[in-house]
Amino acid sequence: MPVNSPRFALFDLVKGKSYCFRVRSVNKYGISEPSLPSEPITAGAKLATLPPPSQVLAFRDTKTSVVLKWDKLKDGLEPLGYYIYCRETGTEEWQTVNNKPVTCNKFTVPGLQPGKEYVFCVKSVGEAGLSESSPETDPIVVRPAIACPSAPHGFVLLNCGKTDMTICWKPPKRKGGTKILGYFLDQHDASELDWHEVNIQPIPQRVSNLEEGHLYEFRARAVNMAGVGKVSEPSDLFKCEEWTMPEPGPPYDVKVTEVRDTSLMLHWEAPLYTGAGPVTGYYVDMCEEGSEEWKQINKQSIASTHMKVSDLETGKSLIFRVRALNKAGIGPPSLPSDPVVVKTKPGTNEIELGVDEEGFIYMAFEAPEKNDSSEFIWSKDYEGPPDSDRVQTEEKGNKSKLILKDPSEKDLGVYSVEVTDVDDDISASCTLTQEVIKLISGWNIDVLEKGEVRLWLEVEKLSPKAELHLIFNGKELTSTPTHKINFVREKGLVELIIQNFCDDDKGMYTAQLQDGKAKNQFTLDLVDERFDKVAEEANAKQKEWKKKQGPHFIENLKWKVTEDCEVLLTCKVLTAIQFILCTVASLYHRILDVNFKGWQSSLAVLLNSNLLIILLALSATPLKIQPTEEGIKIYTDVKYYTDYLKTTWYHQEKRLESRDRLKTGSTVNQIWLHILNPTEADKGKYTLELFDGKDSHKLSTDLSGQGEGHVCSFPGRARVVQGLPDVATIMEDKTLCLTCCISGDPYPEITWFKNEKVIVFKDRYKMDVKGPVVTITIEKVCNEDTGKYSIYVKNKYGSETGQVTISVYKHGEIPIGVEAE
């Protein structure tokens, strides 16, 4: 008998004898030639597992990967390969990194989370299986490996005297994962052949001892902990002659931060050469990358060295430059900035503004990535760091928090933060105003099912010490059964539920909130047309809800003595249908004529009267069939349903009881039977028997397989078509794949269960859906994976479940069932 997998267990071999094996393939055309024989193998010989590798070391690689190296096995042992495992620090579950063994002693572990800390271990793979785990590596944070920086670029002349000049350049685009320590600068006189070193130690951006009138060019190299980076391209030729122009020199260090979908923040440094007078303002120009058409952004000059540029087109690549202004005019433009794409990068975080449990206002920022040398630089109004006497900073990992010690109006303004020594811009800002408690959703008005009115608003998350004062028309409200106040601090929810909404509830509602030293208040005016509209809706819903509860007294029993010395008893009753009103009236009169005491129980007498029950039974319509998302509903409509009308359902003359797949019930105007997940066995005649206390009234219909009553007449119903076996057996540490086909239109929702509990697909459990084919994969199965698995598919036309039992056996054991065979 052919086998369907590339593995096959052989039994009943003679212990101690050697065997060779060969394999032949089979397809529809026949059997192939045999393979080459295997090496002789002795039955019953127990193979020893290999030792684990030693000296497993982890090295930084990129922001999402780590490089592992380990020593090969000694004593001439040759494993089939190695398996690598990783675990995030603080967790206990190990994850398998590679799907198949690696044969070398070096491996790059991909797909790691930037900034997270991991440990690793390695196992050897031999014919006897896996070895024990190697010792764990030291914890390592996933960050790019430190490397030499790239070359500086963008040289510009900022000031020039007779024998010295000040030049500036842009830092390397790739900083090498650490802080730039400085620069080595070379200069070249155009009249000479050789380049000369300007400095032995990293220097500021200034050059001296030059000859007036000569032309010079420069090149630079950046230095970090890893060493000296690549040399830059030579700069333009700069002429050494003293500047005497009245206009200011060019601004420099034009850079962009806080890049979002439609805005960014522009920064620059003031020119070193001011000309005939101090700099009084700046103009900012912009152009698209690849274009030479510059457009001035600001019509009026601005005095500060920063500017927010808004209303930009998302996705555009833009370049900026700045020109300085003094009393003599506008100077030359700065060196253009590097191109920047106007788009919020994935993983961008904003500053979180909140109040901690002790009532202090804080601003927190979490960097998606940072290096060991990176720092969080906080600034207020882009003018420099906040006053250290007024703020306190805390840093932990990738998160920095700025806490206001004693908040006042002095602390209002724009706070920004920037992460240094990273290749990509990581920055954000927020504005601190007096309305520290942020409003998420203003006052809302909902009318609930029973006619209750719900007034609610939502603010940001508050601390456990936050306080609420709810003011209504100048007086503070307290929570009562008719006016219930809910204040959920962790959700920032303020809620007032009013029962029996009436004119007394008209007016102004104000929620006053205080969290530490942060305050705010929000007011709702519920008057005039707004109040009338809410009151009308509340009254209508209250009447509708009461109507659904069945006949009831609108006005209780009252009495009065007439001029003829007669006692007149009156009440007002609301019922669902008109003929009951007539019956109520006639019964009331009869009871009044017979017995005075009977009037007080008249409603009970009405509901117990056979006349009413008979009328209800006769009002039932023929049985109807309706498809639902869960199955098939069989029902009849009645004028009004009461428990005194006894109902019984039958299928093929067999009495039905409400259970898992068959649900029976009723509403005020309907009696129904709901068949969930119908099958062919549910075909046949269904009968509803109505018993009025004296006679039975029967209604019947047939799910015969024709027309709308056909159980399987919904071709789009979710189904499990094929694929799952009844039982699957697998050896531990293997990978199990279960595949089945499903159908349904619309495409069904898919849920997997293990022992009737929903499976969460993570770690070792994975699910793959490709059209009608659904595959569940369990990596490295173990004994705890044994159990009953089921797939549940559902759409609006129905649902279905497929099941399989998984049995996991240990290495060397004979699976149950195979031993019996």
Side-chain angles (χ1 to χ4, degrees), residues 748-760:
E749 300 174 4
I750 303 171
T751 307
W752 281 90
F753 295 85
K754 175 188 174 185
N755 296 332
E756 299 182 353
K757 292 185 179 180
V758 176
I759 296 176
V760 178

Side-chain angles (χ1 to χ4, degrees), residues 249-444:
Y252 65 101
D253 276 358
V254 180
K255 69 174 185 177
V256 175
T257 62
E258 301 176 36
V259 181
R260 301 299 185 263
D261 282 340
T262 58
S263 65
L264 51 81
M265 199 70 197
L266 200 64
H267 308 261
W268 61 88
E269 296 292 333
L272 299 182
Y273 177 78
T274 58
V279 173
T280 58
Y282 299 92
Y283 289 100
V284 177
D285 301 332
M286 176 182 73
C287 80
E288 290 189 33
E289 184 181 12
S291 170
E292 297 182 356
E293 183 180 350
W294 290 92
K295 176 183 176 183
Q296 182 175 303
I297 296 177
N298 53 323
K299 294 182 180 180
Q300 301 294 328
S301 65
I302 59 173
S304 62
T305 56
H306 58 269
M307 175 181 177
K308 185 168 185 177
V309 186
S310 303
D311 299 326
L312 300 175
E313 184 178 346
T314 304
K316 288 282 188 181
S317 181
L318 303 177
I319 302 173
F320 298 88
R321 68 182 187 187
V322 183
R323 295 170 293 151
L325 172 71
N326 66 7
K327 65 180 182 180
I330 302 175
S334 68
L335 194 69
S337 68
D338 290 333
V340 59
V341 178
V342 184
K343 188 175 182 180
T344 305
K345 293 183 179 179
T348 298
N349 295 329
E350 301 295 347
I351 294 176
E352 175 191 352
L353 176 62
V355 180
D356 62 21
E357 294 185 358
E358 297 179 356
F360 288 102
I361 299 171
Y362 70 86
M363 284 161 278
F365 180 75
E366 184 173 7
E369 60 175 291
K370 63 187 286 287
N371 297 319
D372 293 334
S373 62
S374 295
E375 296 178 347
F376 291 93
I377 305 298
W378 287 91
S379 176
K380 184 173 184 291
D381 296 326
Y382 301 102
E383 299 294 340
D387 187 350
S388 59
D389 293 334
R390 305 195 61 80
V391 300
Q392 173 185 344
T393 56
E394 296 178 357
E395 291 188 14
K396 184 176 181 181
N398 283 20
K399 192 169 186 178
S400 176
K401 180 184 285 187
L402 185 74
I403 302 172
L404 303 184
K405 296 180 180 178
D406 187 17
S408 69
E409 292 185 355
K410 296 180 181 179
D411 298 302
L412 301 182
V414 179
Y415 290 81
S416 60
V417 63
E418 184 178 358
V419 180
T420 65
D421 301 335
V422 291
D423 295 335
D424 295 328
D425 168 59
I426 300 177
S427 55
S429 67
C430 73
T431 302
L432 183 64
T433 65
Q434 290 181 339
E435 295 181 356
V436 176
I437 299 180
K438 288 186 177 180
L439 180 67
I440 296 176
S441 176
W443 278 108
N444 299 273

Side-chain angles (χ1 to χ4, degrees), residues 462-633:
L462 301 175
S463 73
K465 296 183 179 180
E467 297 179 1
L468 166 69
H469 298 281
L470 192 57
I471 310 299
F472 172 61
N473 291 341
K475 296 182 179 180
E476 184 170 356
L477 290 177
T478 57
S479 187
T480 65
T482 59
H483 291 69
K484 186 176 181 181
I485 300 174
N486 295 320
F487 184 28
V488 186
R489 293 170 175 81
E490 61 271 19
K491 295 182 179 179
L493 177 66
V494 176
E495 180 182 67
L496 172 64
I497 299 178
I498 305 173
Q499 295 183 359
N500 302 321
F501 190 74
C502 62
D503 288 343
D504 293 339
D505 299 306
K506 182 188 299 185
M508 307 291 287
Y509 294 83
T510 301
Q512 297 178 348
L513 294 166
Q514 181 170 354
D515 197 357
K517 296 189 177 181
K519 299 179 180 179
N520 211 340
Q521 68 178 33
F522 311 96
T523 300
L524 167 69
D525 55 332
L526 195 55
V527 296
D528 301 331
E529 294 182 1
R530 176 183 287 183
F531 173 83
D532 295 339
K533 184 178 179 181
V534 174
E536 181 180 358
E537 184 180 355
N539 187 46
K541 283 197 173 183
Q542 186 180 48
K543 288 182 178 179
E544 182 65 23
W545 181 79
K546 286 184 177 180
K547 183 178 179 180
K548 290 180 179 180
Q549 309 312 303
H552 62 280
F553 287 101
I554 298 176
E555 295 179 3
N556 292 327
L557 187 66
K558 296 185 294 185
W559 64 273
K560 70 177 181 178
V561 179
T562 67
E563 294 179 356
D564 298 329
C565 293
E566 294 179 345
V567 177
L568 179 62
L569 303 176
T570 60
C571 68
K572 192 174 181 180
V573 180
L574 178 66
T575 58
I577 52 178
Q578 186 61 35
F579 77 86
I580 293 184
L581 284 174
C582 299
T583 307
V584 168
S586 61
L587 286 174
Y588 280 6
H589 286 297
R590 292 175 186 176
I591 295 168
L592 181 59
D593 292 338
V594 175
N595 188 342
F596 173 79
K597 293 183 179 179
W599 178 264
Q600 298 183 23
S601 59
S602 56
L603 185 60
V605 171
L606 169 67
L607 293 178
N608 282 281
S609 68
N610 287 337
L611 175 60
L612 176 60
I613 305 303
I614 294 170
L615 290 172
L616 293 177
L618 293 176
S619 72
T621 63
L623 290 180
K624 302 174 185 178
I625 299 172
Q626 176 187 358
T628 67
E629 292 186 6
E630 295 82 11
I632 297 175
K633 180 179 179 182

Side-chain angles (χ1 to χ4, degrees), residues 78-353:
E78 291 292 337
L80 299 176
Y82 303 93
Y83 274 111
I84 297 96
Y85 303 86
C86 73
R87 176 175 59 83
E88 187 178 339
T89 303
T91 64
E92 297 182 356
E93 188 169 352
W94 289 90
Q95 306 291 330
T96 306
V97 173
N98 49 324
N99 294 326
K100 59 182 180 179
V102 295
T103 55
C104 58
N105 62 330
K106 179 180 178 181
F107 188 79
T108 301
V109 182
L112 302 176
Q113 293 295 320
K116 298 290 186 180
E117 189 177 65
Y118 293 87
V119 293
F120 302 87
C121 69
V122 183
K123 292 183 180 181
S124 304
V125 182
E127 293 183 357
L130 294 174
S131 70
E132 297 293 328
S133 297
S134 68
E136 297 179 9
T137 64
D138 292 332
I140 183 171
V141 178
V142 182
R143 288 176 182 161
I146 296 176
C148 293
S150 60
H153 63 290
F155 288 81
V156 63
L157 181 60
L158 299 181
N159 198 359
C160 191
K162 290 184 178 180
T163 60
D164 65 281
M165 61 177 62
T166 302
I167 60 174
C168 177
W169 54 84
K170 294 182 181 180
K173 293 183 179 180
R174 297 185 301 278
K175 299 178 178 59
T178 186
K179 188 180 184 67
I180 299 296
L181 302 177
Y183 298 89
F184 289 106
L185 186 66
D186 299 336
Q187 72 181 42
H188 174 232
D189 190 327
S191 62
E192 300 177 358
L193 295 176
D194 298 329
W195 286 82
H196 301 284
E197 292 181 349
V198 174
N199 60 305
I200 299 176
Q201 298 294 328
I203 62 165
Q205 296 149 321
R206 181 180 174 85
V207 183
S208 301
N209 300 322
L210 304 176
E211 294 187 28
E212 186 176 6
H214 282 227
L215 296 173
Y216 292 90
E217 61 181 343
F218 302 91
R219 65 188 185 188
R221 290 166 292 172
V223 184
N224 66 8
M225 291 178 60
V228 181
K230 294 182 178 180
V231 66
S232 69
E233 294 291 330
S235 68
D236 295 334
L237 289 169
F238 301 132
K239 188 173 183 180
C240 184
E241 59 181 4
E242 187 175 6
W243 283 4
T244 59
M245 55 190 179
E247 297 84 8
Y252 65 101
D253 276 358
V254 180
K255 69 174 185 177
V256 175
T257 62
E258 301 176 36
V259 181
R260 301 299 185 263
D261 282 340
T262 58
S263 65
L264 51 81
M265 199 70 197
L266 200 64
H267 308 261
W268 61 88
E269 296 292 333
L272 299 182
Y273 177 78
T274 58
V279 173
T280 58
Y282 299 92
Y283 289 100
V284 177
D285 301 332
M286 176 182 73
C287 80
E288 290 189 33
E289 184 181 12
S291 170
E292 297 182 356
E293 183 180 350
W294 290 92
K295 176 183 176 183
Q296 182 175 303
I297 296 177
N298 53 323
K299 294 182 180 180
Q300 301 294 328
S301 65
I302 59 173
S304 62
T305 56
H306 58 269
M307 175 181 177
K308 185 168 185 177
V309 186
S310 303
D311 299 326
L312 300 175
E313 184 178 346
T314 304
K316 288 282 188 181
S317 181
L318 303 177
I319 302 173
F320 298 88
R321 68 182 187 187
V322 183
R323 295 170 293 151
L325 172 71
N326 66 7
K327 65 180 182 180
I330 302 175
S334 68
L335 194 69
S337 68
D338 290 333
V340 59
V341 178
V342 184
K343 188 175 182 180
T344 305
K345 293 183 179 179
T348 298
N349 295 329
E350 301 295 347
I351 294 176
E352 175 191 352
L353 176 62

Side-chain angles (χ1 to χ4, degrees), residues 42-62:
T42 302
K46 187 174 181 180
L47 299 175
T49 56
L50 296 174
S54 58
Q55 295 296 320
V56 182
L57 302 175
F59 302 93
R60 285 166 57 172
D61 184 39
T62 70

